[in-house]
Every structure is written in structure tokens, then in C-alpha cells.
Amino acid sequence: MSDALKGSDGALRCPWALSTEDYVTYHDEEWGRPVHGDDELYERLCLEAFQSGLSWITILRRREGFRTAFAGFKISEVATFTDADKERLLADPGIIRNRAKIEATVANARVLTEWAPGELDELIWSFAPDPTTRPAPKALADVPAVTDESKALSKALKKQGIRFVGPTTAYALMQACGLVNDHLADCVARGATR
């Protein structure tokens, strides 16, 4: 028996997606679809770090505020942020005002400016498991919070100096960016992710 539930349009979806229209849109159009590009993956990495300890809807509803505050998550621009920029961010109600997460976002950009173009994309995607070895989850209980791959990705990123990326955050990144397909087996979005 599947945990997928019918939405107002009659389509079956992962149950977490049905609580708000924002979630339905994110679930149907973005979550689990492959994301490539250093800046694009840096944005997702930062947002997942900011989400730690909070609900994803809090981040999703402030996403445009985050994009404005962090220069569209352009690594080269965020890397130049000064202490004054950090203070500005701490006063910005459009984002989550957490000093440690803001510091990590800027520090991570500085680390990534030392990498070759495409290196972040290559590193993250090198941890994508073989999809043929992962059966489609039927129930939410079948979806892990951490995997061996997310532990390895977290370790690899930390080894390179990237902060605020534990195994659970790394797995959420893998789910959001399409490295794994954790849409439930009966979910309308499952087949649309690749």
C-alpha cells in the first residue's frame, strides 16, 4: 500500500507536498529534478543549510529574499562579502538571521572560488547512487534521512572546507537536486524527475 495521497486535482503525490500550494508547486516542478551548475548547486547547498532545524516551507517562502540578500547565490560575489555585509544580513528580515549559517555561506563561497569551474557540480554528482539499485519508495518510512552516499558526500565536502553540511543536510541536497528520486512509487512526479 502506498502513502501517496490525492491532491485537489486528483493526482497522487507524496503526502508532504499537499499541505500548501507552495509545496505542491515545489514538489511537482522542482524537487527531485536534476540540478547542475556550480552557482545553482551552491544555492541549494546554502538553502539546505539554512533549513537545518526549521521546516522547508520557511525557507521556500523566503527563497527570493535569500536570492536578493546573497547576490543571486553567485559564488564569486558572495565570496567578496565583508563584515558589513554580514551585519546587513543579520538585520535582513527576508532571510533566516542565523550568524553561524550566514558565516558558513560566505566562507563556503570563498572556498569555492578556489575550485575550478564545474568542480562543485562534478564532486556532488559523483555521489549519486546507481538508480537501478534503489527501489521506488512506497511509503514515507521507505525514505531514509541519511545514506552511505550522503555520509560520504558530507565527508568529502567537509574535507574541502565546506561548512554546515552534515549527512542529513547532504541527503536533503541529494533529494532536492535529483541525485536520488525519493518521490513515492505512485507519485505523479516520480517519472518526471529525469
Side-chain angles (χ1 to χ4, degrees):
M1 177 116 171
S2 174
D3 282 351
L5 298 175
K6 281 188 182 179
S8 60
D9 61 357
L12 290 172
R13 288 184 177 82
C14 302
W16 63 264
L18 298 176
S19 62
T20 72
E21 193 57 40
D22 291 334
Y23 267 161
V24 172
T25 301
Y26 175 70
H27 169 272
D28 288 3
E29 298 175 10
E30 188 172 352
W31 191 76
R33 294 178 189 245
V35 174
H36 287 281
D38 291 343
D39 289 338
E40 292 81 357
L41 287 165
Y42 169 69
E43 175 185 356
R44 300 322 193 285
L45 183 64
C46 294
L47 293 176
E48 293 296 346
F50 273 101
Q51 185 272 329
S52 181
L54 303 169
S55 69
W56 180 246
I57 196 68
T58 301
I59 303 304
L60 193 58
R61 288 182 174 158
R62 293 182 181 185
R63 192 172 190 181
E64 289 309 314
F66 275 107
R67 286 177 171 161
T68 299
F70 286 101
F73 289 100
K74 290 181 181 66
I75 295 168
S76 60
E77 290 187 36
V78 178
T80 67
F81 279 19
T82 64
D83 287 342
D85 289 309
K86 293 175 193 174
E87 292 305 315
R88 169 186 56 84
L89 293 168
L90 284 168
D92 187 339
I95 66 169
I96 304 302
R97 295 173 284 184
N98 178 295
R99 184 175 297 277
K101 294 175 182 182
I102 290 168
E103 292 277 353
T105 300
V106 175
N108 291 346
R110 290 177 180 159
V111 167
L112 292 171
T113 60
E114 302 299 319
W115 293 23
E119 193 173 349
L120 178 62
D121 188 301
E122 184 179 329
L123 178 103
I124 289 174
W125 276 91
S126 73
F127 290 93
D130 179 351
T132 64
T133 65
R134 294 176 50 93
K138 293 190 184 321
L140 291 178
D142 298 335
V143 179
V146 174
T147 62
D148 289 342
E149 293 89 358
S150 76
K151 290 175 189 174
L153 173 57
S154 171
K155 185 176 180 179
L157 288 167
K158 286 179 180 179
K159 184 177 180 182
Q160 296 296 324
I162 302 298
R163 296 167 27 190
F164 242 99
V165 60
T168 303
T169 297
Y171 193 67
L173 176 75
M174 293 171 78
Q175 290 175 304
C177 295
L179 281 76
V180 296
N181 184 351
D182 278 344
H183 285 285
L184 298 181
D186 294 335
C187 176
V188 67
R190 177 146 184 99
T193 59
R194 297 257 174 217

